[in-house]
């Protein structure tokens, strides 16, 4: 994986060129490589050996405290000490000022080694980065700085039992207590937050919850819709302006842990805010400090959305990668069956390793094309985030990210999960047992189509908003980039694939128009997921063609990349026809189906 990562980062995406920019001027190819080396080593030593342990010894709540394996404490501590929590932050807040693409590449090692043990740090980094963008100077100093230092960890509390995809329906309330608190306008929160990752543990001395809640209007009722949602810092233990713990426990209580299919090493919690389990300041109600302006909570929460969604997609890729490598290794060693020749099978000859069967190679090639293609997609998008922040053409980066973010999140969640399923298949019966790691990779990966916007919600975002916004400007910006690759490829041996890609792009464009030709959202959006699948496969075909053009030489590495690219064009891209057919004719079946007919 490291060779592929380095090739994609430095040969294909030219990440080394970023050091010419003022923000990254103190970096060099050597410092980038050193970051990747450090991450690879910590992931190998502190995370990977304990991935199964974190799964089998899942978090346990004894009614008072949550217990985690010591290995999780040690791994997260090692991560915090590496400085990666503040990797992209300014030097003057203790950061490394790394480009997003290098930060993501470094974090990829942890997702591959143990995605669940890595969860605490990823959440903390996102939480603190959000506070750097939207918090007051004191909120940054007290909360974000201590999170970046690894002294406290953070959470993101959006979902509620009755409100997941539709956050406008959250019911947590915030009542003003003191407008003039130094840590920010102080409120009392009451409500329930469901599915909160890292919501309770004792890895760190405090937990900084970022909580969405509604402030009631003068009539005592919360404003309907997302406009009424505000954002609050709710620390588990109260702190003063000098970031010292006051010793007083805030009114946030763990109601229980969720017991999950996978990702078991990360605690997942139902948290009760303000139920009176604790009484800070002598009364019930969780103390929360407003971040930003009232009513702008969701906007602030989605400030880090690009990075969060690329991060989820990259996590899915790395789980796929782990399964691919495990099944490749197995396939080289497992003797089973003999070659079929015109004269039949020679039962007296030794059995051959299963990698010699064409069907096993098909499964390995599929995995290779999904995970290496997914890695290219995630890194390409992370590189666009750097263009957005420090590049010359920020408008173009924004337009491309707009249409690519739903793909960066959803495509690996679906296809690198499929990759994990194929890894199990390569191992046969052994793959289905807990004696081999591939079943855990599949279980861990199954989350990714659900959280950070479900698959269906990503598809609605893509077809309902992103491809039609500003008269289709973002889609047009993507088409220009794809066309540039086609023009380069058409001059080479890749001309057939270039023509195939041009046809696919035209098909996607045509289906987009036909989906919206009646102007009826319910007609267009009924087939949003097949649309997103076709869109994603077209994007991946484009990236594979672009990567193939960057490959040099005839060694095994180069041949492998070319074979995976050819596989994607031969076996995967043709699938888009069936997906786009239902989109283009606005197939009404799913929309018309009645609940009673099931
Ligand atoms: C392990 C885990 C960790 C999580 N971590 C966190 C966390 O740290 N913080 C946090 O706030 N949340 C977290 N979540 C919550 C997660 O974001 C939600 O589960 C997710 O947003 C979906 O919400 P829901 O579960 O209520 O499902 P629902 O919203 O009820 O969706 C159920 C199904 O209906 C579909 N659906 C819903 N609405 C529509 C629509 N309008 N059109 C078409 N289809 C629709 C969905 O696509 C889905 O398939 C986590 C969840 C899990 C499982």
């Amino acid at each position: 994986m490291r060779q592929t990562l380095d090739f994609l980062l430095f040969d294909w995406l030219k990440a080394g060129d970023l050091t010419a920019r003022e923000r990254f001027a103190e970096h060099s190819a050597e410092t980038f490589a050193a970051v990747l080396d450090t991450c690879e080593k910590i992931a190998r030593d502190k995370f990977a050996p304990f991935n199964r342990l974190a799964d089998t010894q899942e978090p346990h709540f004894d009614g008072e405290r949550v217990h985690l394996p010591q290995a999780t404490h040690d791994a997260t501590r090692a991560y915090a000490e590496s400085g990666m929590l503040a990797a992209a932050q300014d030097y003057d807040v203790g950061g490394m000022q790394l480009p997003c693409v290098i930060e993501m590449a470094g974090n990829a090692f942890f997702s591959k080694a143990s995605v669940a043990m890595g969860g605490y740090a990823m959440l903390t980094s996102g939480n603190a980065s959000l506070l750097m963008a939207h918090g007051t100077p004191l909120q940054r100093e007290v909360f974000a700085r201590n999170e970046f230092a690894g002294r406290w960890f953070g959470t993101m509390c959006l979902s509620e039992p009755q409100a997941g995809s539709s956050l406008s329906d959250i019911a947590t309330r915030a009542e003003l207590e003191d407008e003039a608190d130094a840590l920010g306008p102080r409120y009392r929160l009451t409500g329930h937050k469901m599915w909160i990752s890292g919501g309770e543990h004792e890895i760190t001395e405090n937990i900084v919850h970022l909580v969405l809640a509604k402030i009631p209007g003068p009539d005592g009722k919360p404003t309907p819709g997302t406009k009424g949602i505000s954002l609050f810092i709710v620390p588990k233990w109260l702190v003063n302006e000098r970031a010292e713990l006051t010793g007083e426990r805030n009114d946030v209580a763990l109601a229980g842990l969720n017991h999950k299919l996978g990702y078991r090493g990360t605690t997942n919690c139902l948290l009760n805010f303000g139920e009176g389990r604790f009484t800070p300041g002598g009364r019930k109600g969780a103390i929360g400090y407003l971040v930003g302006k009232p009513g702008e909570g969701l906007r602030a929460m989605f400030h880090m959305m690009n990075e969060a969604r690329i991060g989820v997609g990259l996590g899915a890729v790395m789980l796929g990668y782990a399964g691919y490598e495990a099944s490749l290794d197995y396939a080289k060693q497992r003797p089973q069956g003999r070659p079929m020749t015109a004269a039949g099978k020679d039962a007296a000859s030794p059995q051959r390793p299963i990698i010699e069967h064409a069907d096993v190679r098909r499964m390995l090639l599929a995995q290779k094309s999904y995970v290496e293609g997914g890695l290219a997609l995630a890194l390409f998008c992370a590189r666009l985030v750097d263009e957005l922040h420090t590049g010359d053409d920020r408008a173009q980066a924004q337009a491309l990210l707009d249409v690519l973010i739903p793909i960066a999140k959803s495509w690996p969640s679906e296809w690198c999960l499929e990759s994990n399923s194929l890894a199990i298949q390569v191992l046969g019966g052994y793959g289905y047992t807990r004696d081999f790691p591939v079943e855990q990779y599949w279980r861990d990966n199954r989350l990714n189509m659900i959280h950070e916007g479900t698959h269906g919600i990503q598809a609605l975002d893509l077809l309902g908003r992103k491809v039609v916004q500003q008269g289709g400007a973002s889609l047009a910006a993507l088409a220009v980039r794809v066309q540039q690759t086609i023009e380069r490829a058409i001059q080479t041996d890749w001309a057939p694939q270039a023509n195939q890609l041009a046809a696919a792009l035209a098909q996607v464009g045509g289906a987009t128009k036909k989906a919206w030709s009646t102007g009826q959202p319910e007609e267009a959006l009924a087939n949003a997921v097949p649309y997103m699948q076709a869109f994603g496969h077209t994007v991946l075909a484009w990236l594979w063609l672009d990567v193939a053009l960057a490959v040099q030489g005839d060694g095994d590495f180069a041949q492998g990349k070319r074979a995976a690219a050819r596989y994607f064009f031969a076996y995967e891209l043709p699938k888009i026809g069936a997906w786009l057919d239902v989109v283009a004719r606005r197939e009404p079946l799913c929309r018309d189906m009645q609940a009673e007919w099931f």
Side-chain angles (χ1 to χ4, degrees):
M1 170 225 159
R2 180 64 190 267
Q3 194 185 358
T4 294
L5 186 75
D6 285 345
F7 161 73
L8 290 174
L9 276 177
F10 301 112
D11 296 336
W12 181 54
L13 290 174
K14 310 272 182 251
D17 294 355
L18 288 166
T19 57
R21 296 186 185 168
E22 197 186 332
R23 180 165 178 81
F24 310 122
E26 289 187 31
H27 283 291
S28 61
E30 289 72 36
T31 61
F32 288 168
V35 169
L36 299 180
D37 290 346
T38 304
C39 291
E40 190 174 13
K41 181 170 173 17
I42 298 173
R44 189 179 53 232
D45 296 347
K46 299 282 186 188
F47 284 71
F50 308 103
N51 190 37
R52 175 61 83 176
L53 181 87
D55 182 69
T56 51
Q57 290 184 20
E58 70 175 309
H60 160 66
F61 180 41
D62 65 13
E64 290 294 325
R65 299 175 55 195
V66 168
H67 302 273
L68 292 170
Q70 184 58 36
T72 304
H73 292 256
D74 298 342
T76 47
R77 183 67 24 227
Y79 183 93
E81 283 166 6
S82 75
M84 280 300 286
L85 283 165
Q89 296 300 315
D90 295 355
Y91 294 126
D92 62 14
V93 294
M96 291 195 258
Q97 276 188 214
L98 279 176
C100 177
V101 72
I102 301 295
E103 180 190 26
M104 292 258 181
N107 281 330
F109 291 105
F110 300 98
S111 299
K112 182 161 172 258
S114 180
V115 77
M117 288 206 292
Y120 301 93
M122 304 302 150
L123 283 158
T124 301
S125 198
N127 170 312
S129 301
L130 190 157
L131 288 177
M132 291 306 289
H134 295 279
T136 63
L138 192 62
Q139 288 174 342
R140 297 204 288 261
E141 185 62 28
V142 170
F143 297 106
R145 292 284 295 249
N146 281 296
E147 289 184 71
F148 285 137
R151 185 180 161 208
W152 304 337
F153 276 175
T155 71
M156 300 288 199
C157 302
L158 295 78
S159 308
E160 300 184 1
Q162 82 297 346
S165 299
S166 177
L167 288 172
S168 60
D169 292 301
I170 64 167
T172 300
R173 286 168 70 100
E175 314 259 358
L176 185 63
E177 183 171 76
D178 179 2
E179 184 77 53
D181 194 297
L183 288 172
R186 193 173 75 226
Y187 286 72
R188 290 279 181 160
L189 275 70
T190 44
H192 310 283
K193 289 290 174 183
M194 181 58 162
W195 307 118
I196 305 309
S197 299
E200 182 57 53
H201 56 74
E202 293 183 359
I203 301 172
T204 48
E205 65 176 20
N206 204 359
I207 302 175
V208 180
H209 302 291
L210 280 181
V211 184
L212 290 181
K214 289 193 172 183
I215 302 170
D219 60 357
K221 293 188 187 144
T223 312
T226 52
K227 287 197 179 67
I229 300 177
S230 304
L231 180 65
F232 301 86
I233 299 168
V234 183
K236 173 179 160 187
W237 292 94
L238 294 175
V239 302
N240 64 22
E241 294 160 45
R242 293 181 303 284
E244 296 157 344
L245 301 186
T246 63
E248 197 168 17
R249 178 75 195 257
N250 204 356
D251 193 6
V252 185
L254 176 65
L257 294 175
N258 294 309
H259 299 285
K260 311 190 292 302
L261 176 74
Y263 247 93
R264 292 183 179 165
T266 310
T267 55
N268 191 271
C269 310
L270 173 58
L271 294 178
N272 289 344
F273 290 79
E275 65 169 4
R277 171 85 191 277
F278 304 96
T279 50
R283 69 182 189 91
K284 70 182 228 178
I287 288 178
Y289 306 99
L290 182 70
V291 179
K293 295 201 180 82
E296 295 189 358
L298 207 57
R299 202 175 62 83
M301 195 56 115
F302 284 146
H303 172 89
M304 298 294 295
M305 193 188 72
N306 285 343
E307 286 90 330
R309 294 196 168 162
I310 299 167
V312 168
L314 184 55
V317 168
M318 297 321 296
L319 284 163
Y321 226 118
Y324 164 57
E325 287 184 353
S327 62
L328 177 60
D329 195 40
Y330 182 89
K332 287 178 179 166
Q333 307 193 22
R334 168 75 173 169
Q336 197 75 197
R338 295 173 179 82
M340 175 70 89
T341 66
K345 288 184 188 171
D346 176 5
S349 67
Q351 297 202 82
R352 314 303 303 270
I354 59 171
I355 197 165
E356 295 192 13
H357 301 306
D359 189 54
V360 173
R361 290 184 184 173
R362 174 190 63 80
M363 292 190 279
L364 291 169
L365 258 175
Q367 291 181 65
K368 186 174 169 68
S369 78
Y370 295 152
V371 304
E372 293 184 0
L375 186 58
L377 169 69
L379 295 176
F380 184 84
C381 289
R383 183 75 168 79
L384 281 177
V385 171
D386 287 317
E387 289 308 302
L388 189 64
H389 294 153
T390 58
D392 295 331
D393 193 345
R394 299 183 190 192
Q396 195 208 35
Q398 181 67 63
L400 290 172
L401 276 171
D402 278 348
V403 279
L404 288 177
I405 287 295
I407 302 301
K409 192 271 171 183
S410 66
W411 194 89
S413 302
E414 180 169 3
W415 298 100
C416 296
L417 178 71
E418 174 61 16
S419 191
N420 286 141
S421 179
L422 288 169
I424 294 172
Q425 194 69 19
V426 169
L427 269 75
Y430 297 97
Y432 196 63
T433 70
R434 275 174 281 170
D435 297 327
F436 287 83
V438 287
E439 59 84 32
Q440 186 187 344
Y441 298 141
W442 184 88
R443 286 189 290 107
D444 287 350
N445 217 349
R446 189 62 189 81
L447 172 63
N448 289 315
M449 285 173 79
I450 298 172
H451 69 159
E452 198 54 44
T454 64
H455 220 50
I457 297 299
Q458 297 297 331
L460 293 177
D461 184 39
L462 180 68
L463 182 56
R465 287 180 53 223
K466 298 299 178 54
V467 296
V468 288
Q469 68 189 18
Q470 294 157 13
S474 300
L475 185 55
L478 179 67
V480 168
R481 286 295 288 265
V482 175
Q483 201 57 43
Q484 287 167 355
T485 304
I486 291 172
E487 279 162 23
R488 282 192 297 126
I490 210 92
Q491 324 283 344
T492 71
D493 292 350
W494 292 95
Q497 285 82 2
N499 286 322
Q500 204 186 333
L501 179 59
L505 187 64
Q507 244 181 307
V508 170
T512 312
K513 285 203 186 80
K514 286 184 184 155
W516 281 106
S517 59
T518 59
Q520 300 296 325
E522 64 273 26
E523 287 187 20
L525 299 178
N527 297 299
V529 165
Y531 177 82
M532 182 171 72
Q533 289 173 308
F535 197 106
H537 261 48
T538 304
V539 167
L540 263 290
W542 160 52
L543 294 175
W544 262 121
L545 188 59
D546 211 72
V547 166
L549 293 175
V551 168
Q552 305 282 333
D554 285 316
D556 292 343
F557 180 82
Q559 297 288 17
K561 293 283 172 287
R562 292 190 190 108
R566 286 203 303 276
Y567 174 89
F568 203 85
F569 277 88
Y571 288 76
E572 296 292 331
L573 191 58
K575 291 176 181 169
I576 71 167
W579 290 322
L580 290 177
D581 274 355
V582 292
V583 176
R585 65 168 186 265
R586 296 180 305 288
E587 172 59 54
L589 180 62
C590 300
R591 190 161 44 93
D592 290 347
M593 179 73 187
Q594 302 294 301
E596 300 74 31
W597 298 351
F598 282 100

